[in-house]
Amino acid sequence: MAKTIFAKIIDREIPAKIVHEDDLCLAFHDVAPRAPMHILIVPKKPIARLADATAEDRTVLGHMMLTAAKIARDQGYGDAYRLVVNNGEGAGQTVFHLHIHILGGRPFTWPPG
Ligand code: 5GP
């Protein structure tokens, strides 16, 4: 499988504005932000889609959720933010390395578009 853009960011082959890193995940600003805060959090393990995650990924997935909440708090948006996971092309996924969008700083409609 060809390396995704996010794997290249993890390996520092291309630059990104990194806001958090630990042994399980990396978080960085989206290159085309859709909100005043638009950060992506990705597992270091190359899971293509949420649908491809297994029970053995439960620790990293839980860790990413808790880390997303901490990042939103640290960025000053702890009271109102939205987490989005696009799974599959039909849902808008364009980079096939699992990621959670962390969005904040503007009103969000429901249901999402
Ligand atoms: P998806 O559509 O797969 O849910 O989200 C992929 C996201 O990755 C998009 O919001 C897009 O703007 C972002 N993205 C694509 N290429 C790059 C890149 O090279 N650097 C960064 N920081 N974000 C990227």
Side-chain angles (χ1 to χ4, degrees), residues 5-6 9 14-16 28-32 38 40 86 92-95 99 101:
I5 201 98
F6 294 168
I9 289 173
I14 62 168
F28 50 88
H29 287 275
D30 196 292
V31 77
H38 188 173
L40 303 169
N86 296 323
Q93 185 174 4
T94 58
V95 178
H99 50 284
H101 297 258

PDB file of all heavy atoms in Angstrom, residues 5-6 9 14-16 28-32 38 40 86 92-95 99 101, ligand 1:
ATOM      1  N   ILE A   5      -0.704  10.557   3.015  1.00  0.00           N
ATOM      2  CA  ILE A   5      -0.172  11.866   3.401  1.00  0.00           C
ATOM      3  C   ILE A   5      -0.009  11.949   4.925  1.00  0.00           C
ATOM      4  O   ILE A   5       0.947  12.552   5.430  1.00  0.00           O
ATOM      5  CB  ILE A   5      -1.105  12.972   2.851  1.00  0.00           C
ATOM      6  CG1 ILE A   5      -0.382  14.293   2.755  1.00  0.00           C
ATOM      7  CG2 ILE A   5      -2.362  13.131   3.625  1.00  0.00           C
ATOM      8  CD1 ILE A   5       0.128  14.578   1.401  1.00  0.00           C
ATOM      9  N   PHE A   6      -0.910  11.298   5.672  1.00  0.00           N
ATOM     10  CA  PHE A   6      -0.809  11.382   7.136  1.00  0.00           C
ATOM     11  C   PHE A   6       0.358  10.530   7.651  1.00  0.00           C
ATOM     12  O   PHE A   6       1.026  10.919   8.613  1.00  0.00           O
ATOM     13  CB  PHE A   6      -2.124  10.982   7.802  1.00  0.00           C
ATOM     14  CG  PHE A   6      -3.258  11.940   7.527  1.00  0.00           C
ATOM     15  CD1 PHE A   6      -4.564  11.600   7.838  1.00  0.00           C
ATOM     16  CD2 PHE A   6      -3.036  13.193   6.957  1.00  0.00           C
ATOM     17  CE1 PHE A   6      -5.613  12.482   7.592  1.00  0.00           C
ATOM     18  CE2 PHE A   6      -4.077  14.082   6.698  1.00  0.00           C
ATOM     19  CZ  PHE A   6      -5.376  13.714   7.018  1.00  0.00           C
ATOM     20  N   ILE A   9       3.262  12.655   7.273  1.00  0.00           N
ATOM     21  CA  ILE A   9       3.340  13.676   8.332  1.00  0.00           C
ATOM     22  C   ILE A   9       3.875  13.038   9.614  1.00  0.00           C
ATOM     23  O   ILE A   9       4.749  13.596  10.286  1.00  0.00           O
ATOM     24  CB  ILE A   9       1.958  14.344   8.546  1.00  0.00           C
ATOM     25  CG1 ILE A   9       1.627  15.243   7.343  1.00  0.00           C
ATOM     26  CG2 ILE A   9       1.928  15.139   9.850  1.00  0.00           C
ATOM     27  CD1 ILE A   9       0.226  15.833   7.356  1.00  0.00           C
ATOM     28  N   ILE A  14       6.707  15.202   5.343  1.00  0.00           N
ATOM     29  CA  ILE A  14       6.133  16.484   4.931  1.00  0.00           C
ATOM     30  C   ILE A  14       5.747  17.253   6.193  1.00  0.00           C
ATOM     31  O   ILE A  14       5.438  16.643   7.227  1.00  0.00           O
ATOM     32  CB  ILE A  14       4.938  16.335   3.960  1.00  0.00           C
ATOM     33  CG1 ILE A  14       3.792  15.580   4.627  1.00  0.00           C
ATOM     34  CG2 ILE A  14       5.328  15.669   2.659  1.00  0.00           C
ATOM     35  CD1 ILE A  14       2.524  15.682   3.809  1.00  0.00           C
ATOM     36  N   PRO A  15       5.767  18.590   6.110  1.00  0.00           N
ATOM     37  CA  PRO A  15       5.538  19.384   7.318  1.00  0.00           C
ATOM     38  C   PRO A  15       4.060  19.499   7.687  1.00  0.00           C
ATOM     39  O   PRO A  15       3.180  19.336   6.842  1.00  0.00           O
ATOM     40  CB  PRO A  15       6.099  20.756   6.924  1.00  0.00           C
ATOM     41  CG  PRO A  15       5.985  20.808   5.439  1.00  0.00           C
ATOM     42  CD  PRO A  15       6.099  19.403   4.939  1.00  0.00           C
ATOM     43  N   ALA A  16       3.821  19.762   8.949  1.00  0.00           N
ATOM     44  CA  ALA A  16       2.475  20.055   9.445  1.00  0.00           C
ATOM     45  C   ALA A  16       2.635  20.851  10.732  1.00  0.00           C
ATOM     46  O   ALA A  16       3.688  20.786  11.382  1.00  0.00           O
ATOM     47  CB  ALA A  16       1.706  18.764   9.703  1.00  0.00           C
ATOM     48  N   PHE A  28      -2.524  17.565  14.403  1.00  0.00           N
ATOM     49  CA  PHE A  28      -1.964  18.701  13.664  1.00  0.00           C
ATOM     50  C   PHE A  28      -3.101  19.473  12.999  1.00  0.00           C
ATOM     51  O   PHE A  28      -4.196  18.944  12.790  1.00  0.00           O
ATOM     52  CB  PHE A  28      -0.948  18.208  12.614  1.00  0.00           C
ATOM     53  CG  PHE A  28      -1.458  17.088  11.744  1.00  0.00           C
ATOM     54  CD1 PHE A  28      -2.149  17.334  10.578  1.00  0.00           C
ATOM     55  CD2 PHE A  28      -1.271  15.765  12.138  1.00  0.00           C
ATOM     56  CE1 PHE A  28      -2.633  16.296   9.800  1.00  0.00           C
ATOM     57  CE2 PHE A  28      -1.758  14.708  11.364  1.00  0.00           C
ATOM     58  CZ  PHE A  28      -2.435  14.979  10.188  1.00  0.00           C
ATOM     59  N   HIS A  29      -2.827  20.746  12.683  1.00  0.00           N
ATOM     60  CA  HIS A  29      -3.844  21.581  12.051  1.00  0.00           C
ATOM     61  C   HIS A  29      -4.148  21.088  10.640  1.00  0.00           C
ATOM     62  O   HIS A  29      -3.226  20.731   9.884  1.00  0.00           O
ATOM     63  CB  HIS A  29      -3.365  23.039  11.994  1.00  0.00           C
ATOM     64  CG  HIS A  29      -3.378  23.712  13.330  1.00  0.00           C
ATOM     65  ND1 HIS A  29      -4.505  24.311  13.854  1.00  0.00           N
ATOM     66  CD2 HIS A  29      -2.413  23.852  14.271  1.00  0.00           C
ATOM     67  CE1 HIS A  29      -4.233  24.802  15.051  1.00  0.00           C
ATOM     68  NE2 HIS A  29      -2.965  24.538  15.332  1.00  0.00           N
ATOM     69  N   ASP A  30      -5.444  21.108  10.290  1.00  0.00           N
ATOM     70  CA  ASP A  30      -5.857  20.768   8.927  1.00  0.00           C
ATOM     71  C   ASP A  30      -5.339  21.854   7.978  1.00  0.00           C
ATOM     72  O   ASP A  30      -5.380  23.045   8.289  1.00  0.00           O
ATOM     73  CB  ASP A  30      -7.389  20.688   8.850  1.00  0.00           C
ATOM     74  CG  ASP A  30      -7.859  19.982   7.598  1.00  0.00           C
ATOM     75  OD1 ASP A  30      -7.674  20.552   6.488  1.00  0.00           O
ATOM     76  OD2 ASP A  30      -8.415  18.881   7.695  1.00  0.00           O
ATOM     77  N   VAL A  31      -4.847  21.432   6.814  1.00  0.00           N
ATOM     78  CA  VAL A  31      -4.284  22.370   5.845  1.00  0.00           C
ATOM     79  C   VAL A  31      -5.362  23.265   5.214  1.00  0.00           C
ATOM     80  O   VAL A  31      -5.050  24.355   4.724  1.00  0.00           O
ATOM     81  CB  VAL A  31      -3.491  21.591   4.762  1.00  0.00           C
ATOM     82  CG1 VAL A  31      -4.412  20.932   3.749  1.00  0.00           C
ATOM     83  CG2 VAL A  31      -2.458  22.460   4.081  1.00  0.00           C
ATOM     84  N   ALA A  32      -6.602  22.839   5.249  1.00  0.00           N
ATOM     85  CA  ALA A  32      -7.718  23.616   4.672  1.00  0.00           C
ATOM     86  C   ALA A  32      -8.822  23.721   5.720  1.00  0.00           C
ATOM     87  O   ALA A  32      -9.850  23.039   5.634  1.00  0.00           O
ATOM     88  CB  ALA A  32      -8.236  22.940   3.407  1.00  0.00           C
ATOM     89  N   HIS A  38      -9.518  23.698  13.514  1.00  0.00           N
ATOM     90  CA  HIS A  38      -9.724  22.476  12.719  1.00  0.00           C
ATOM     91  C   HIS A  38      -8.427  21.675  12.794  1.00  0.00           C
ATOM     92  O   HIS A  38      -7.460  21.954  12.086  1.00  0.00           O
ATOM     93  CB  HIS A  38     -10.088  22.799  11.273  1.00  0.00           C
ATOM     94  CG  HIS A  38     -10.495  21.572  10.494  1.00  0.00           C
ATOM     95  ND1 HIS A  38     -11.002  21.658   9.220  1.00  0.00           N
ATOM     96  CD2 HIS A  38     -10.477  20.245  10.803  1.00  0.00           C
ATOM     97  CE1 HIS A  38     -11.277  20.434   8.786  1.00  0.00           C
ATOM     98  NE2 HIS A  38     -10.960  19.562   9.718  1.00  0.00           N
ATOM     99  N   LEU A  40      -6.676  17.720  13.156  1.00  0.00           N
ATOM    100  CA  LEU A  40      -6.856  16.293  12.868  1.00  0.00           C
ATOM    101  C   LEU A  40      -6.033  15.500  13.859  1.00  0.00           C
ATOM    102  O   LEU A  40      -4.875  15.848  14.132  1.00  0.00           O
ATOM    103  CB  LEU A  40      -6.374  15.977  11.451  1.00  0.00           C
ATOM    104  CG  LEU A  40      -7.036  16.779  10.338  1.00  0.00           C
ATOM    105  CD1 LEU A  40      -6.296  16.565   9.012  1.00  0.00           C
ATOM    106  CD2 LEU A  40      -8.506  16.414  10.192  1.00  0.00           C
ATOM    107  N   ASN A  86     -15.130  10.713   9.083  1.00  0.00           N
ATOM    108  CA  ASN A  86     -15.703  10.300   7.809  1.00  0.00           C
ATOM    109  C   ASN A  86     -15.182   8.901   7.500  1.00  0.00           C
ATOM    110  O   ASN A  86     -13.970   8.685   7.441  1.00  0.00           O
ATOM    111  CB  ASN A  86     -15.298  11.277   6.700  1.00  0.00           C
ATOM    112  CG  ASN A  86     -15.856  12.669   6.925  1.00  0.00           C
ATOM    113  OD1 ASN A  86     -16.977  12.828   7.394  1.00  0.00           O
ATOM    114  ND2 ASN A  86     -15.068  13.697   6.615  1.00  0.00           N
ATOM    115  N   GLY A  92     -17.413  10.958   2.547  1.00  0.00           N
ATOM    116  CA  GLY A  92     -16.523  12.111   2.405  1.00  0.00           C
ATOM    117  C   GLY A  92     -15.082  11.869   2.797  1.00  0.00           C
ATOM    118  O   GLY A  92     -14.286  12.812   2.832  1.00  0.00           O
ATOM    119  N   GLN A  93     -14.718  10.614   3.095  1.00  0.00           N
ATOM    120  CA  GLN A  93     -13.320  10.365   3.467  1.00  0.00           C
ATOM    121  C   GLN A  93     -12.434  10.486   2.223  1.00  0.00           C
ATOM    122  O   GLN A  93     -12.720   9.893   1.184  1.00  0.00           O
ATOM    123  CB  GLN A  93     -13.157   8.969   4.091  1.00  0.00           C
ATOM    124  CG  GLN A  93     -11.745   8.723   4.604  1.00  0.00           C
ATOM    125  CD  GLN A  93     -11.588   7.409   5.351  1.00  0.00           C
ATOM    126  OE1 GLN A  93     -12.526   6.602   5.447  1.00  0.00           O
ATOM    127  NE2 GLN A  93     -10.397   7.181   5.901  1.00  0.00           N
ATOM    128  N   THR A  94     -11.372  11.269   2.349  1.00  0.00           N
ATOM    129  CA  THR A  94     -10.444  11.462   1.221  1.00  0.00           C
ATOM    130  C   THR A  94      -9.038  10.961   1.540  1.00  0.00           C
ATOM    131  O   THR A  94      -8.271  10.684   0.624  1.00  0.00           O
ATOM    132  CB  THR A  94     -10.356  12.956   0.829  1.00  0.00           C
ATOM    133  OG1 THR A  94      -9.935  13.719   1.967  1.00  0.00           O
ATOM    134  CG2 THR A  94     -11.703  13.462   0.327  1.00  0.00           C
ATOM    135  N   VAL A  95      -8.705  10.883   2.828  1.00  0.00           N
ATOM    136  CA  VAL A  95      -7.382  10.363   3.220  1.00  0.00           C
ATOM    137  C   VAL A  95      -7.623   9.063   3.985  1.00  0.00           C
ATOM    138  O   VAL A  95      -8.302   9.061   5.027  1.00  0.00           O
ATOM    139  CB  VAL A  95      -6.606  11.378   4.087  1.00  0.00           C
ATOM    140  CG1 VAL A  95      -5.269  10.781   4.511  1.00  0.00           C
ATOM    141  CG2 VAL A  95      -6.399  12.692   3.341  1.00  0.00           C
ATOM    142  N   HIS A  99      -8.762   9.233  10.917  1.00  0.00           N
ATOM    143  CA  HIS A  99      -8.536  10.509  11.606  1.00  0.00           C
ATOM    144  C   HIS A  99      -9.838  11.029  12.174  1.00  0.00           C
ATOM    145  O   HIS A  99     -10.908  10.796  11.629  1.00  0.00           O
ATOM    146  CB  HIS A  99      -7.919  11.550  10.662  1.00  0.00           C
ATOM    147  CG  HIS A  99      -8.632  11.687   9.359  1.00  0.00           C
ATOM    148  ND1 HIS A  99      -8.505  10.771   8.342  1.00  0.00           N
ATOM    149  CD2 HIS A  99      -9.499  12.622   8.896  1.00  0.00           C
ATOM    150  CE1 HIS A  99      -9.239  11.137   7.307  1.00  0.00           C
ATOM    151  NE2 HIS A  99      -9.867  12.254   7.628  1.00  0.00           N
ATOM    152  N   HIS A 101     -11.628  14.607  12.973  1.00  0.00           N
ATOM    153  CA  HIS A 101     -11.601  16.070  12.830  1.00  0.00           C
ATOM    154  C   HIS A 101     -12.056  16.666  14.163  1.00  0.00           C
ATOM    155  O   HIS A 101     -13.082  16.254  14.714  1.00  0.00           O
ATOM    156  CB  HIS A 101     -12.586  16.531  11.756  1.00  0.00           C
ATOM    157  CG  HIS A 101     -12.294  16.049  10.367  1.00  0.00           C
ATOM    158  ND1 HIS A 101     -11.701  16.858   9.418  1.00  0.00           N
ATOM    159  CD2 HIS A 101     -12.519  14.867   9.759  1.00  0.00           C
ATOM    160  CE1 HIS A 101     -11.582  16.181   8.283  1.00  0.00           C
ATOM    161  NE2 HIS A 101     -12.079  14.965   8.456  1.00  0.00           N
TER     162      HIS A 101
HETATM  163  P1  5GP B   1     -11.354  13.477   5.172  1.00  0.00           P
HETATM  164  O1  5GP B   1     -12.024  14.131   3.990  1.00  0.00           O
HETATM  165  O2  5GP B   1     -10.573  12.261   4.745  1.00  0.00           O
HETATM  166  O3  5GP B   1     -12.281  13.187   6.323  1.00  0.00           O
HETATM  167  O4  5GP B   1     -10.344  14.530   5.746  1.00  0.00           O
HETATM  168  C1  5GP B   1      -9.061  14.719   5.237  1.00  0.00           C
HETATM  169  C2  5GP B   1      -8.585  16.062   5.700  1.00  0.00           C
HETATM  170  O5  5GP B   1      -7.188  16.113   5.518  1.00  0.00           O
HETATM  171  C3  5GP B   1      -9.192  17.246   4.948  1.00  0.00           C
HETATM  172  O6  5GP B   1      -9.862  18.109   5.858  1.00  0.00           O
HETATM  173  C4  5GP B   1      -7.980  17.911   4.303  1.00  0.00           C
HETATM  174  O7  5GP B   1      -8.066  19.322   4.288  1.00  0.00           O
HETATM  175  C5  5GP B   1      -6.834  17.417   5.173  1.00  0.00           C
HETATM  176  N1  5GP B   1      -5.551  17.328   4.481  1.00  0.00           N
HETATM  177  C6  5GP B   1      -5.325  16.796   3.247  1.00  0.00           C
HETATM  178  N2  5GP B   1      -4.022  16.857   2.930  1.00  0.00           N
HETATM  179  C7  5GP B   1      -3.406  17.437   4.000  1.00  0.00           C
HETATM  180  C8  5GP B   1      -2.039  17.788   4.260  1.00  0.00           C
HETATM  181  O8  5GP B   1      -1.131  17.574   3.465  1.00  0.00           O
HETATM  182  N3  5GP B   1      -1.773  18.386   5.458  1.00  0.00           N
HETATM  183  C9  5GP B   1      -2.760  18.629   6.387  1.00  0.00           C
HETATM  184  N4  5GP B   1      -2.392  19.219   7.532  1.00  0.00           N
HETATM  185  N5  5GP B   1      -4.054  18.325   6.170  1.00  0.00           N
HETATM  186  C10 5GP B   1      -4.369  17.739   4.977  1.00  0.00           C
END
